[in-house]
């Protein structure tokens, strides 16, 4: 048995590039790491001057406990840096990063490594978002529907995030290729997405940029949510609070209070636009705040898009898209199935306090027969098929 027992510390100590490299271990519900080890990092104020020194000091350090057959536990120090991986094909480009497939030379395990250019990040003042992404992924690293962050390290030029590889790419590209997804496929992918969103929310994370491009698919065609650079980290619920939540969820009569569901942090009202135009919630546009229901608005847009093949609010430019969103100006294509239509209508509600909540979404007719929780992640993915709009409604052409 071998397990990483973790190191602490933060990444990318901003402009001085005095970054801390870490091997990450998901936290327990209390926010504590399962075990502790001395974090090893670039000392504050000391910036390595040579490539060799970066190799040494920029590497992630993990402390592993290895249980031998005789039952004795040995401690192993593992260092991971750029030289420990073979870099392969480019998987995607973000605004501030390139994501590359990579293989751990020692274990031959494949990962996706997100490579961020330090100078660019500092110049564009995005250090805060890099840290948010890392801290969020560390908090959420224990759910099958969320990409896991294994190591972070750096060299002179770049920061590296070693992540779960999602070799089947973006859900978006399948929707685009097929034109739409049928109800069975939409139910399967949206149920997994909802399960991942529920996990985020109960762990105090609002994603704030959910869109089909950020819903990736692993080798078994199971959902892996990515891109937490716009996330909002709420205070971590205590173990007792999490246990109480789980208990409440078991109680059929439970209906979460509206104020709890919103959890708006007034100090964090966003003055700038967060997210992607088509999926941004009306409350962000009008009142400049995003809360847990804002993720459910985006979820409603994704559900609609899976079946219709295009997002509900789309116009020639961002301004017109925003106008459509705040006016709730969208239509269902003829033939859009009734249960999905009803659920979308309950999700795309302008007032976030009146929007359907996760417990009720799970009980909605659209998800009839779906068992949420661990069982959901053992189900075989359905064969990808487009929605048949011709069924009973005559010929329908998506614009
Ligand atoms: P954005 O500009 O949208 O904020 P970003 O800079 O945060 O993007 P990501 O969204 O994390 O970058 O990644 C860019 C693209 O790389 C993704 O859309 C996806 O196609 C690909 N990608 C990211 N992570 C992975 C992964 N773990 N496995 C496979 N492909 C990935």
């Amino acid at each position: 048995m071998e397990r990483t027992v973790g190191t602490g510390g933060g990444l990318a100590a901003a402009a001085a590039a005095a970054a801390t490299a870490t091997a990450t271990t998901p936290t327990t519900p209390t926010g504590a790491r399962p075990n502790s080890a001395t974090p090893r990092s670039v000392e504050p104020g000391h910036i390595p001057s040579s490539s060799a020194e970066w190799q040494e000091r920029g590497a992630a350090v993990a402390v592993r406990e290895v249980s031998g057959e005789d039952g004795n536990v040995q401690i192993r120090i593992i260092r991971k840096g750029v030289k420990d991986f073979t870099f392969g094909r480019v998987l995607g480009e973000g605004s501030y990063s390139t994501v590359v497939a990579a293989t751990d030379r020692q274990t031959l395990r494949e990962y996706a490594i997100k490579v961020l250019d330090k100078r660019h990040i500092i110049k564009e003042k995005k250090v805060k978002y890099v840290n948010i992404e890392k801290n969020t992924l560390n908090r959420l690293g224990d759910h099958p529907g969320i990409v896991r962050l294994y190591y972070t390290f750096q060299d002179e030029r770049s920061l590296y995030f070693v992540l779960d590889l999602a070799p089947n790419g973006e859900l978006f590209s399948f929707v685009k290729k097929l034109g739409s997804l049928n109800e069975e496929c939409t139910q399967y992918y949206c149920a997994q997405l909802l399960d991942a969103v529920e996990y985020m929310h109960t762990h105090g994370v609002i994603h704030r940029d959910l869109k089909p491009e950020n819903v990736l698919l692993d080798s078994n065609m199971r959902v892996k949510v990515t891109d937490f650079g716009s996330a909002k980290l709420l205070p971590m619920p205590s173990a007792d609070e999490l246990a109480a939540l789980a208990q409440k969820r078991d109680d059929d009569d439970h209906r979460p209070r509206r104020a709890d569901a919103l959890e708006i942090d007034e100090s964090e009202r966003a003055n700038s636009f967060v997210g992607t135009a088509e999926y941004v919630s009306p409350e962000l546009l009008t009142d400049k705040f995003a809360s847990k229901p804002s993720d459910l608005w985006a979820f409603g847009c994704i559900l609609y898009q899976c079946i219709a093949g295009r997002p509900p609010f789309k116009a020639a430019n961002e301004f017109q898209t925003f106008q459509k969103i705040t006016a709730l100006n969208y239509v269902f294509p003829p033939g859009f199935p009734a249960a999905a239509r009803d659920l979308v209508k309950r999700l795309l509600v302008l007032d976030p306090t009146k929007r359907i909540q996760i417990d009720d979404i799970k009980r909605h007719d659209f998800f009839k027969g779906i068992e949420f929780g661990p069982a959901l992640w053992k189900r075989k993915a359905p064969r990808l098929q487009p929605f048949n709009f011709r069924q009973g409604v005559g010929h329908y052409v998506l614009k």
Side-chain angles (χ1 to χ4, degrees):
M1 207 263 294
E2 192 173 293
R3 83 186 159 94
T4 306
V5 296
T7 58
L11 180 79
T20 301
T22 57
T24 65
T25 304
T27 51
T28 63
T30 55
R33 290 182 184 273
N35 204 336
S36 63
T38 313
R40 192 179 168 286
S41 62
V42 180
E43 297 90 40
H46 175 87
I47 300 172
S49 55
S50 66
S51 295
E53 200 183 349
W54 271 114
Q55 291 275 5
E56 169 69 13
R57 291 180 177 272
V61 178
V63 181
R64 276 173 206 256
E65 280 178 357
V66 185
S67 317
E69 272 167 18
D70 57 0
N72 286 336
V73 175
Q74 290 176 351
I75 300 292
R76 248 195 231 159
I77 308 281
I78 295 174
R79 191 165 292 159
K80 292 279 180 206
V82 180
K83 64 178 183 355
D84 295 304
F85 294 88
T86 310
F87 288 78
R89 69 187 190 285
V90 172
L91 296 165
E93 301 268 358
S95 320
Y96 305 97
S97 64
T98 303
V99 182
V100 185
T103 309
D104 183 324
R105 287 177 197 270
Q106 199 191 3
T107 63
L108 299 184
R109 186 174 167 170
E110 283 198 292
Y111 295 94
I113 301 191
K114 185 162 174 166
V115 185
L116 302 112
D117 184 87
K118 289 201 280 198
R119 273 173 60 186
H120 185 56
I121 288 165
I122 292 163
K123 195 167 139 250
E124 299 292 323
K125 301 193 170 43
K126 298 293 172 195
V127 174
K128 182 179 158 195
Y129 300 103
V130 174
N131 280 321
I132 287 174
E133 181 156 27
K134 186 209 163 201
N135 295 336
T136 308
L137 285 169
N138 275 341
R139 192 187 275 189
L140 297 177
D142 214 6
H143 188 274
I146 297 170
V147 285
R148 185 170 167 171
L149 175 65
Y150 294 88
Y151 308 100
T152 56
F153 48 81
Q154 63 174 318
D155 59 19
E156 295 105 306
R157 289 184 55 178
S158 308
L159 302 172
Y160 300 84
F161 283 15
V162 181
L163 302 158
D164 268 328
L165 175 67
N168 281 310
E170 301 172 10
L171 175 63
F172 178 70
S173 50
F174 290 99
V175 177
K176 216 169 124 182
K177 198 157 73 189
L178 293 170
S180 63
L181 297 181
N182 69 6
E183 276 179 281
E184 190 192 4
C185 293
T186 303
Q187 192 194 46
Y188 174 86
Y189 293 110
C190 287
Q192 292 189 350
L193 176 59
L194 188 68
D195 201 64
V197 171
E198 181 176 39
Y199 182 83
M200 282 174 219
H201 286 184
T202 50
H203 287 74
V205 172
I206 310 172
H207 188 288
R208 300 202 295 189
D209 195 16
L210 285 177
K211 54 182 171 178
E213 291 90 329
N214 287 336
V215 180
L216 303 179
L217 299 167
D218 71 10
S219 54
N220 294 311
M221 292 296 280
R222 293 190 187 122
V223 160
K224 291 259 181 225
V225 179
T226 190
D227 197 359
F228 287 85
S230 309
K232 167 84 184 124
L233 269 168
L234 301 167
M236 181 70 185
S238 68
D240 288 349
E241 282 167 334
L242 280 175
L245 258 172
Q247 180 60 44
K248 274 182 183 173
R249 229 178 285 125
D250 288 344
D251 176 1
D252 269 346
D253 293 333
H254 169 64
R255 293 285 184 282
R257 280 174 291 134
R258 296 290 173 187
D260 288 353
L262 282 177
E263 288 194 53
I264 299 161
D265 181 350
E266 290 291 333
S267 64
E268 279 285 333
R269 270 182 196 271
N271 286 319
S272 56
F273 166 60
V274 181
T276 303
E278 281 84 6
Y279 308 90
V280 78
S281 62
E283 60 270 21
L284 192 82
L285 297 171
T286 52
D287 299 330
K288 298 196 167 40
F289 74 81
S291 54
K292 290 177 180 175
S294 314
D295 280 347
L296 297 180
W297 173 277
F299 174 76
C301 294
I302 294 170
L303 202 163
Y304 175 103
Q305 185 169 353
C306 286
I307 295 175
R310 57 174 159 82
F313 308 99
K314 190 156 182 62
N317 57 48
E318 276 195 354
F319 178 69
Q320 286 170 11
T321 302
F322 294 160
Q323 282 184 319
K324 283 191 161 186
I325 291 169
T326 51
L328 200 67
N329 176 5
Y330 76 103
V331 289
F332 289 101
F336 198 98
R341 177 191 291 249
D342 184 78
L343 180 53
V344 169
K345 276 189 186 164
R346 291 172 195 273
L347 285 159
L348 301 185
V349 169
L350 290 179
D351 179 350
T353 64
K354 303 220 167 86
R355 211 165 285 154
I356 189 171
Q357 295 186 28
I358 292 181
D359 285 338
D360 293 324
I361 302 173
K362 292 191 328 195
R363 282 192 280 259
H364 190 276
D365 258 5
F366 181 71
F367 287 119
K368 208 171 177 176
I370 294 282
E371 195 185 334
F372 285 88
L376 195 60
W377 302 93
K378 294 190 186 110
R379 279 184 57 196
K380 199 171 171 292
R383 195 158 76 87
L384 278 170
Q385 284 201 308
F387 185 77
N388 185 359
F389 276 101
R390 289 172 191 229
Q391 222 170 34
V393 292
H395 185 70
Y396 172 71
V397 181
L398 286 175
K399 291 198 187 88

